[in-house]
Amino acid sequence: TGRARPVPQGASPAEAYGFVGFVLTGVLFVLYLLWAFIPDATLRNRFGVFYYPDKYWAIAVPVWVFVFGLYGAWAYEGVNLMSVKPIDHEDLVREVGGSIPVGGKL
């Protein structure tokens, strides 16, 4: 009865994958910012990077993601509004299985 349960050692796979994803996301974001803000000539001559996307995509992709996010929220609201019954629908005013007091008794 006084025996303590063993404490697991190390991280679970979910914790490890989460940490790797967190670090990788940060590194990729820093690389994205460097690519977006460093001039093309510096990338080519100083760092020797010759193949990279046009700088247009540094603005276009975040804008498209934002617009699709707004559209998704708008569509979600629209789908929910379509599934709501009208205010005068009989299911909203009729009580099913309830008891109505008659003559002062329930």
Side-chain angles (χ1 to χ4, degrees):
T1 59
R3 185 183 264 177
R5 285 191 259 170
V7 178
Q9 299 294 321
S12 70
E15 293 171 334
Y17 289 137
F19 178 73
V20 169
F22 173 74
V23 171
L24 187 63
T25 301
V27 168
L28 290 175
F29 182 67
V30 168
L31 288 174
Y32 164 77
L33 290 177
L34 289 173
W35 161 70
F37 288 110
I38 293 178
D40 291 340
T42 306
L43 285 173
R44 270 186 260 112
N45 299 332
R46 192 160 195 193
F47 297 112
V49 178
F50 292 99
Y51 180 75
Y52 49 86
D54 190 27
K55 299 289 177 135
Y56 163 81
W57 296 107
I59 298 297
V61 170
V63 168
W64 277 102
V65 168
F66 179 73
V67 167
F68 280 131
L70 282 179
Y71 175 72
W74 178 71
Y76 180 74
E77 181 182 0
V79 167
N80 282 318
L81 285 175
M82 288 189 325
S83 67
V84 173
K85 295 179 182 177
I87 194 69
D88 58 349
H89 195 274
E90 67 178 27
D91 286 345
L92 297 178
V93 295
R94 184 178 53 163
E95 183 177 352
V96 178
S99 44
I100 300 173
V102 177
K105 296 183 180 180
L106 185 62

